[in-house]
Amino acid sequence: MPKVVVNNKEVEFEEGMTVLQACELAGAEIPRFCYHERLSIAGNCRMCLVELEKSPKPIASCAMPATDGMKIKTNTPFVDKARKGVMEFLLANHPLDCPVCDQGGECDLQDQSLFYGFDHSRYTENKRQVNEKYMGPLIKTIMTRCIHCTRCIRFATEVAGIPELGAIGRGEDMEITTYLEHSMESELSANVIDLCPVGALTSKPYAFQTRPWELKKTESIDVMDAVASNIRIDSYGWEVKRILPRLNNNINEEWISDKTRYACDGLLKQRLDKPYKRENGKLTECTWDEAIDLISSKIKETNPKTIAGHIGDMASMETINSFKNLLNSIGTNNYEFREKPFYINPKNKINYIFNSSINGIEKCDLLLLVGANPRHEATMLNARIRKSFVNKKLPIYSIGDSGNLTYDYKIIGEKTEDVKKLIDGENEISRKILNAKYPIVIIGESALELKSGEFILEGIKDFLFKNNFITEQWNAFNILTQNASTVGAIDLNFLDIDKKNNFNFFDKLNKNQFDLLYLVGSDNLDFVKRNEFIVYQGSHGDRMTQIADVIIPSPAYTEQDGLFINLEGRLQQCIKATYPPGDSLEDWKVFNLLNKRLTNKELFKNFYQLRQETLKQVKNHSDFDLLPKTEIKELQQKSGEFIDEFITIKEVDYYFSNSIARASKTMSNCRAERSKSFKNKTGS
């Protein structure tokens, strides 16, 4: 391997590394503003200057390729003087408003000026003033602070895939702006706030709320979708003030979606904090004893076969397991996690997870979408697809119109007949898959909702298995689940299916065969109430509270510990960051109270016992934050009924996808902004 000498220390480096990267391998810290590991190199700020032997001038280490035998100095008076000169130029136009800047305490310019700044300026000219720009409801701009690092421009173009940001003017007159000054339309737009090294781009909803050192910081995971991005929850008292990304190269890298970041203000709105019961058609506040007595008496007088339970999209595995134990104790197996009837096969974990892994997308050499829109169904997974598309020109195909994705793709059909041709090896995409080394096929829930859902899943799986694309080395078969609770619920067998009918629960629900329906956070379940007695347990007064007979308050995902399994089968922990309002009680404790009232026995003695019992049921479990050990064996061959029908990808109401998001003022503003933008584009 080639070697360089950094401050008299010899280090080896890999071909293609820059001088900056080689210096950091040697333990030398290089200041920077424009350079970022996940963006292209711009070389704008010049803060990373170093001394190179035989070079009369200092060099920008971020833009200079490292070569064998280089001798570099990073701590000489020559380098120090050069960096101080750059800092003086950067501060010549920068306003000295740190006390009122939201970036204060987290500002790269503030930190680096401590080492390279002067106590006075030699420039007496008037400082530049720049008009503020409108970038939507999420990003607050104070562009006079901008140092023209262009991180935001490169992110929008390269990562987000929406080239909405650009620069006008040159030199001192250069300004960063959106085209025609409209809102940024990317679901990743707010990541530019984290990237901005100064206070030019800050969080509009968080503006002037708290200082960073006043916040309690909790490392957790996101439950807005099935990707389970790693996040940091910053709270003040019981209020969640903001959510920031946490580095995890296997899942979300260092980005998060706007919904993950900003739906948190919905945790403060429309909260359920006391039990309620319906009397004379009106909901009235009641005590816990009254609520538990009413539910238990209704359960006792109801035939167990007509009692059913349903869990929502953000339920933890402990909640699901304790709820299942309660329903089994009552004597019913009518329970379900699906919000709509889509085909699943729980026999093998391969059948319902993203087997190629999120990281595997970067290895992929051909990608096929079947009834999926990853941009709205799994935003961070979509970002990874775009990364592979940009870096290696990944060919992407789709059966069904996936809408406006952030990369180019080719629609090769819109009917189930096209899937049949793929399985039979009769079309172009079949041959392309067979010629690929690492293909990926992603099946979305919209395809599995069809009458041919079983045919699509089992047929594609059989095709890939027969052609050695489902092996221990590479598994090309992937299911794109949308909800955080889906994989965990299947692992815990929280579903009502048999050999003859995959949709027992929904058939009984539609035929009005349930007398008592217990809903746990199930605000997206679509049904019309008839004569059922409905118990709703959840954190928000959302859709189902309008028809519920008894309402039980419970914590949101930031207010209780819980296990979740993401779409690729990775087990992770959601950590309690704050406490719930009012008289809310953790889900498993509510089920304990009910079971004790019904049978005089507790389901679980404590949370630790519940978690251990839950972990025992996780299929192919290896360890936390690791991919499951999937068993590749002779897969059960099934052949569902083929029906010729269109594959229509159902539109996701992205900003209103769950109860927390619907309670969020910020998400409401984003939704309104997108609607306005759509009307302007279409003229309707």
Side-chain angles (χ1 to χ4, degrees), residues 425-656:
E426 296 176 357
N427 59 5
E428 178 190 1
I429 192 64
S430 303
R431 293 186 290 274
K432 288 182 179 292
I433 290 174
L434 294 176
N435 291 328
K437 192 174 181 180
Y438 300 110
I440 284 180
V441 180
I442 301 175
I443 304 173
E445 289 183 9
S446 291
L448 302 178
E449 285 183 56
L450 300 172
K451 295 177 181 177
S452 298
E454 182 179 356
F455 172 82
I456 292 171
L457 187 146
E458 303 296 346
I460 291 176
K461 181 180 67 177
D462 189 51
F463 168 77
L464 293 171
F465 184 75
K466 286 179 177 177
N467 291 287
N468 295 318
F469 289 123
I470 298 180
T471 66
E472 292 183 0
Q473 288 73 40
W474 183 255
N475 193 332
F477 182 72
N478 301 281
I479 303 298
L480 180 55
T481 53
Q482 295 182 18
N483 294 338
S485 60
T486 296
V487 177
I490 301 174
D491 266 11
L492 297 173
N493 204 33
F494 194 88
L495 39 87
D496 185 12
I497 65 174
D498 56 36
K499 293 181 179 179
K500 296 181 180 179
N501 190 357
N502 206 263
F503 311 114
N504 279 334
F505 177 88
F506 296 97
D507 289 344
K508 293 175 183 177
L509 183 66
N510 294 329
K511 292 176 182 177
N512 196 25
Q513 294 182 8
F514 297 137
D515 294 326
L516 191 152
L517 195 56
Y518 201 135
L519 307 175
V520 181
S522 307
D523 288 295
N524 295 333
L525 185 64
D526 188 17
F527 77 102
V528 178
K529 182 183 179 180
R530 297 179 179 91
N531 303 313
E532 305 96 338
F533 184 86
I534 295 178
V535 180
Y536 176 80
Q537 182 172 316
S539 60
H540 284 71
D542 202 54
R543 294 168 176 170
M544 291 304 167
T545 55
Q546 300 172 28
I547 60 173
D549 297 289
V550 181
I551 296 174
I552 300 293
S554 64
Y557 76 102
T558 59
E559 299 158 0
Q560 59 181 336
D561 295 321
L563 298 175
F564 288 85
I565 302 179
N566 78 342
L567 54 79
E568 55 182 352
R570 198 184 297 270
L571 181 67
Q572 299 184 102
Q573 296 186 71
C574 193
I575 307 297
K576 181 178 180 178
T578 62
Y579 47 89
D583 297 333
S584 299
L585 200 60
E586 292 178 21
D587 293 309
W588 74 275
K589 290 182 178 179
V590 177
F591 304 140
N592 249 9
L593 285 174
L594 273 171
N595 200 71
K596 193 169 183 179
R597 195 67 55 92
L598 292 167
T599 65
N600 207 29
K601 293 181 181 178
E602 290 186 331
L603 293 169
F604 301 97
K605 293 180 179 179
N606 50 51
F607 185 76
Y608 176 78
Q609 184 194 3
L610 169 59
R611 173 162 288 187
Q612 294 306 308
E613 291 296 322
T614 304
L615 284 171
K616 288 177 183 178
Q617 299 179 56
V618 177
K619 296 179 183 177
N620 310 111
H621 172 50
S622 51
D623 204 350
F624 286 102
D625 204 33
L626 296 179
L627 293 172
K629 299 175 182 176
T630 51
E631 297 177 3
I632 307 297
K633 53 187 178 182
E634 194 69 32
L635 298 176
Q636 181 187 5
Q637 291 190 10
K638 295 182 69 176
S639 57
E641 182 185 2
F642 169 74
I643 299 171
D644 190 18
E645 49 190 329
F646 279 96
I647 299 176
T648 304
I649 300 171
K650 295 187 177 180
E651 188 174 347
V652 176
D653 194 351
Y654 179 75
Y655 293 111
F656 271 19

Side-chain angles (χ1 to χ4, degrees), residues 38 253 362 383-392:
R38 302 187 193 276
E253 297 185 306
E362 297 187 30
R384 195 65 70 100
I385 295 174
R386 172 165 174 83
K387 181 180 179 182
S388 195
F389 172 79
V390 171
N391 291 344
K392 53 189 290 188

Side-chain angles (χ1 to χ4, degrees), residues 1 142 159 183 220 277 337 466 530 644:
M1 291 182 69
I142 304 173
V159 180
S183 172
S220 188
K277 63 179 180 180
F337 71 91
K466 286 179 177 177
R530 297 179 179 91
D644 190 18

Side-chain angles (χ1 to χ4, degrees), residues 50 159 213 255 289 327 380 453 502 579 598 623 633 671:
V50 297
V159 180
W213 54 85
W255 323 119
D289 283 336
L327 294 169
M380 296 317 306
N502 206 263
Y579 47 89
L598 292 167
D623 204 350
K633 53 187 178 182
R671 190 171 184 253

Side-chain angles (χ1 to χ4, degrees), residues 162 187 369-377 382 396-411 413-414 446 647-652 674 678:
I162 309 289
E187 293 79 17
L369 302 171
V370 182
N373 177 354
R375 179 175 177 180
H376 292 155
E377 295 170 10
N382 189 70
I396 303 171
Y397 303 90
S398 177
I399 299 179
D401 188 354
S402 296
N404 183 23
L405 301 180
T406 57
Y407 39 81
D408 297 331
Y409 67 97
K410 182 180 180 182
I411 300 174
E414 296 186 76
S446 291
I647 299 176
T648 304
I649 300 171
K650 295 187 177 180
E651 188 174 347
V652 176
R674 175 164 289 187
F678 177 78

